[in-house]
């Protein structure tokens, strides 16, 4: 993996999960593309590469099991996608369940199942709240997050031009904590990176494969 530093006239600032957000999207989307080319199940494909990373494998299995991956069929028209990422000393896997509206373009996210190994947990309720808020933040960004600049001026002025996820569009969010005795890891940002790739992978499954996980 390499990067090239560039100069840009538009100033940028920090974003929740910083570089983990887009890096997780690139990597986990590519992993699903490889699984597709190999004709392999996305979860099984990942697990085959995690033999030396038991914590990652445990988190991925936990999320897949709780989501019913490969064991509980989805309603017609729905599909699942998965992503796994480590950031801030915590490991998170997310399974996103989606459908596509009759217009063939608009996605609807019905359920997000999160599994996290964040080391020793002091307050499980706080972990769940942070995971939920991270999913809402990341889903807002994935569905509507964009900034347009016209003649040097940002076009979006307020929330009518830059919508956030509404309660009616918020999916059911489940958080499952994997028991661990390691030192405490982060929970404030770690739900963000896996969301967009899991969503994209679910949409890929829905559109290209026409089947669910």
């Amino acid at each position: 993996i390499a990067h090239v530093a560039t100069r840009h006239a538009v100033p940028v600032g920090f974003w929740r999960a910083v570089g983990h957000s887009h890096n997780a999207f690139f990597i986990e989307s590519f992993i699903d593309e490889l699984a597709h080319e190999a004709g392999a199940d996305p979860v099984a494909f990942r697990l085959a590469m995690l033999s030396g990373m038991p914590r990652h494998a445990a988190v991925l299995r936990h999320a897949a099991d709780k989501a019913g991956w490969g064991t509980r069929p989805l309603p017609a028209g729905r599909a699942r996608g998965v992503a796994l990422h480590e950031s801030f000393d915590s490991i998170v896997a997310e399974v996103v369940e989606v459908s596509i509206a009759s217009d063939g373009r608009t996605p609807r996210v019905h359920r997000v199942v999160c599994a996290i190994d964040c080391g020793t947990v002091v307050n499980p309720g706080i972990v769940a709240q942070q995971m939920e808020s991270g999913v809402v933040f990341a889903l807002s960004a994935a569905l509507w997050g964009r900034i347009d600049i016209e003649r040097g001026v940002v076009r979006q002025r307020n929330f009518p031009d830059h919508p956030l996820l509404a309660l009616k569009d918020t999916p059911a969010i489940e958080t499952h904590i994997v028991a661990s005795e390691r030192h405490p890891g982060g929970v404030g940002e770690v739900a963000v990176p896996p969301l967009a790739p899991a969503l994209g992978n679910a949409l890929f499954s829905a559109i290209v494969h026409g089947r669910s996980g």
Side-chain angles (χ1 to χ4, degrees), residues 5 13-14 26 32 39 49 53 135-136 146 166 198 206 213:
F14 294 108
F26 301 147
D32 254 48
M49 296 185 289
M53 305 175 75
V135 167
V136 170
R146 62 179 294 164

Side-chain angles (χ1 to χ4, degrees), residues 6-123:
T6 60
R7 293 186 178 275
H8 200 282
V10 178
V12 296
F14 294 108
W15 198 68
R16 191 170 183 175
V18 287
H20 288 283
S21 54
H22 46 266
N23 286 327
F25 180 78
F26 301 147
I27 295 169
E28 286 297 289
S29 300
F30 184 53
I31 292 293
D32 254 48
E33 291 181 22
L34 295 176
H36 174 67
E37 290 297 320
D41 174 83
V43 171
F45 187 80
R46 285 172 170 81
L47 288 173
M49 296 185 289
L50 293 173
S51 59
M53 305 175 75
R55 290 182 67 209
H56 293 73
V59 172
L60 178 58
R61 286 195 184 94
H62 204 69
D65 289 344
K66 294 298 183 181
W69 189 284
T71 60
R72 291 201 299 270
L74 287 169
R78 294 193 187 184
R80 294 185 181 106
V82 65
L84 172 73
H85 188 72
E86 178 181 1
S87 61
F88 306 102
D89 293 325
S90 295
I91 303 166
V92 175
E94 292 177 1
V95 176
V96 172
E97 181 181 321
V98 303
S99 65
I100 300 175
S102 57
D103 61 9
R105 295 171 54 87
T106 306
R108 173 62 192 257
V109 179
H110 301 275
R111 183 185 181 207
V112 178
V113 177
C114 310
I116 177 172
D117 179 346
C118 56
T120 301
V121 174
V122 177
N123 189 326

